[in-house]
Amino acid sequence: MADYHYMEVLMNKHRFVCVMVAILAIAVPLGAQGTKEQSPKELVVYAYDAFCGDWGPGPSIVENFEKETGIKVNLVSSGDGVEMMTKLISEKNNPWADVVIGITDDMAQKIYDAKLLQPYESPVLADIPSFLQFDAEHRLLPFDYGNFAFVVDTQAMKHEDIPTSLASLTDPKYKGKVILIDPRTSSVGLGLLVWTVEVFGENGYLDWWKAMKENALTITEGWSSAYGLFTEGEAPLVLSYTTSPVYHVTYEHTTRYQTTLFSEGHSTTIEGVGMLASSTHKDAAKKFIDYLLSQAQLSIALANSMYPVNARTVLPEAFDYAPKPEKNLSIPAETLAKNLDRWLTEWTQVMSR
């Protein structure tokens, strides 16, 4: 079972004909499955790409939920976390989704301010430690959590060359060896931005990014593309999670990819699920959320390579390969809400020069 105590010490896409095409392109959301012709009994669930992909937990969770409840689910792949939230906000006056999966605690304030979510105090919250329940109003309920970290390809990098801190990554020897992720489009990329503020402070975080602009092989739009480049051997270091090696141990039976722990500590992240206030299928939405927080927890933990929030979940030995940081870093929600847009603007100015 995950060690919840350590966390306590402790985020988008002839004139008459042209006009009509443009209108339809805006009005109809693009998804992994189906169209906007929602059937009366169909539950529309927005989730980030990695959750919906072939290797993500989404497809099997939906299949099992449908068999158990008889409720049809349309799982819609909606970009990375920030893109998905932007999509929801843009659809505020023409809502489609009933449930959203993957809004993280560090970017939640924007969706709260948009007043899109309806609180739901699921009975399963009784099995989830209170320190993981980041929204007192239960608009977003936690379903998994972890720490941001850099994962190293040990077959492509010598042990003595593995970085030991964020600061060490700015060494010129890492030029072209690190894959980063855009904080404007990805919750993982946003996590790194916040992590640098936590470590270097507001007076120093941009200096780190200036240096990393020279070292990074590329900055991708989302985690999936970044990790794909990493496993294809394009670079030996990628931004991910401390728990990422669990996937490789479980499904590939290899310890080639390992987490590198940093002396200054690691930023924490909690992913949440919420019900749209505009939903006309709230009973079905509640059942799906309850399922996500209970029966689906092990599937989520294994496929996402994250820790489950439900304390009843028994984890396999593969999680022994997920090292736990000695220091867990975080920023108060109020501070994030007040400063995040400014930090993103400053980041964009630095990285676009």
Side-chain angles (χ1 to χ4, degrees), residues 112-338:
Y112 296 158
D113 293 342
K115 302 185 184 303
L116 296 176
L117 303 177
Q118 177 166 314
Y120 173 48
E121 193 167 355
S122 168
V124 187
L125 288 172
D127 295 325
I128 299 175
S130 58
F131 70 88
L132 291 172
Q133 299 180 34
F134 58 90
D135 180 24
E137 296 183 35
H138 307 300
R139 293 161 294 188
L140 285 172
L141 287 67
F143 69 88
D144 70 4
Y145 71 98
N147 293 85
F148 294 113
F150 282 85
V151 176
V152 59
D153 181 349
T154 60
Q155 290 187 16
M157 180 168 283
K158 297 178 181 179
H159 178 75
E160 58 268 26
D161 291 333
I162 296 176
T164 57
S165 67
L166 282 175
S168 68
L169 277 173
T170 63
D171 191 303
K173 72 180 181 180
Y174 295 114
K175 185 176 180 63
K177 296 183 178 180
V178 188
I179 300 173
L180 301 180
I181 308 174
D182 196 324
R184 298 168 300 179
T185 54
S186 166
S187 57
V188 183
L190 186 61
L192 177 58
L193 177 63
V194 173
W195 187 8
T196 58
V197 175
E198 290 165 343
V199 172
F200 302 111
E202 290 202 69
N203 294 326
Y205 82 104
L206 289 176
D207 291 331
W208 187 87
W209 282 99
K210 289 174 185 176
M212 289 308 297
K213 181 181 177 181
E214 300 300 320
N215 275 3
L217 173 70
T218 187
I219 300 178
T220 68
E221 288 189 353
W223 177 88
S224 295
S225 54
Y227 212 79
L229 289 172
F230 169 69
T231 55
E232 289 167 8
E234 295 298 320
L237 288 162
V238 67
L239 173 64
S240 194
Y241 303 93
T242 58
T243 43
S244 292
V246 172
Y247 175 88
H248 301 287
V249 172
T250 302
Y251 298 103
E252 300 173 352
H253 310 290
T254 180
T255 58
R256 170 179 177 176
Y257 305 107
Q258 298 180 13
T259 298
T260 173
L261 291 185
F262 289 170
S263 55
E264 65 267 46
H266 293 251
S267 187
T268 61
T269 184
I270 307 172
E271 294 189 311
V273 56
M275 175 172 61
L276 278 293
S278 57
S279 172
T280 58
H281 307 313
K282 290 189 172 66
D283 287 342
K286 290 177 181 179
K287 289 179 181 178
F288 185 81
I289 291 172
D290 291 346
Y291 186 85
L292 204 70
L293 304 185
S294 54
Q295 292 103 306
Q297 282 285 283
L298 184 57
S299 296
I300 291 171
L302 290 173
N304 273 5
S305 294
M306 297 279 276
Y307 286 110
V309 295
N310 193 313
R312 295 180 180 272
T313 309
V314 178
L315 293 175
E317 292 182 359
F319 274 81
D320 292 342
Y321 292 90
K324 295 172 182 175
E326 293 185 6
K327 296 180 183 178
N328 296 278
L329 309 175
S330 63
I331 291 180
E334 316 81 65
T335 303
L336 280 171
K338 181 180 178 181

Side-chain angles (χ1 to χ4, degrees), residues 206 210 213-214 345-353:
L206 289 176
K210 289 174 185 176
K213 181 181 177 181
E214 300 300 320
T345 298
E346 292 173 347
W347 181 92
T348 302
Q349 290 171 343
V350 165
M351 303 304 283
S352 61
R353 287 172 188 163

